Amino acid sequence: LGWIVESQNRTSSYSALAHHVKSPLAAEALALWEALLKCRELGLSRIRCESDSAVLIKAIKAESSLDGLYGILADIQALAFSFEYISFHWISCMRI
């Protein structure tokens, strides 16, 4: 899993290992969960989360569940309450 945290003039890359991940969508959700944990650890209180997974962002915004991702989505939504401000956005990812 990998994610980037940008704050003011600093950009940092992070990664974590995940075994037996069942789908790319599950990997995206786990990466977002890990990123939220890292942001909380760093003491960030206002964050903007971006993902190229429209399905994931839609599920988070609707506070709904997806097959096989209920626990991860519930953890993401619970972690979101630990921030003063949080937003979730879909971004286009150009693929060649």
Side-chain angles (χ1 to χ4, degrees):
L1 309 172
W3 63 95
I4 296 171
V5 175
E6 294 179 4
S7 59
Q8 297 174 349
N9 296 332
R10 183 176 174 190
T11 300
S12 301
S13 298
Y14 299 93
S15 63
L17 292 176
H19 300 282
H20 310 292
V21 179
K22 295 185 178 194
S23 69
L25 182 58
E28 188 81 18
L30 286 170
L32 179 56
W33 178 69
E34 289 281 356
L36 292 177
L37 288 173
K38 178 55 76 174
C39 287
R40 188 173 68 177
E41 178 186 313
L42 294 171
L44 301 175
S45 61
R46 302 178 58 82
I47 62 173
R48 174 186 169 105
C49 302
E50 298 178 344
S51 171
D52 65 347
S53 173
V55 173
L56 178 61
I57 296 302
K58 184 177 179 179
I60 292 169
K61 286 183 169 186
E63 296 183 12
S64 64
S65 183
L66 297 171
D67 287 340
L69 294 183
Y70 174 78
I72 300 168
L73 290 175
D75 288 346
I76 288 170
Q77 291 163 347
L79 266 174
F81 286 110
S82 64
F83 297 96
E84 178 184 318
Y85 173 82
I86 188 168
S87 62
F88 297 93
H89 302 272
W90 172 78
I91 57 167
S92 177
C93 181
M94 294 185 58
R95 300 184 193 272
I96 297 174

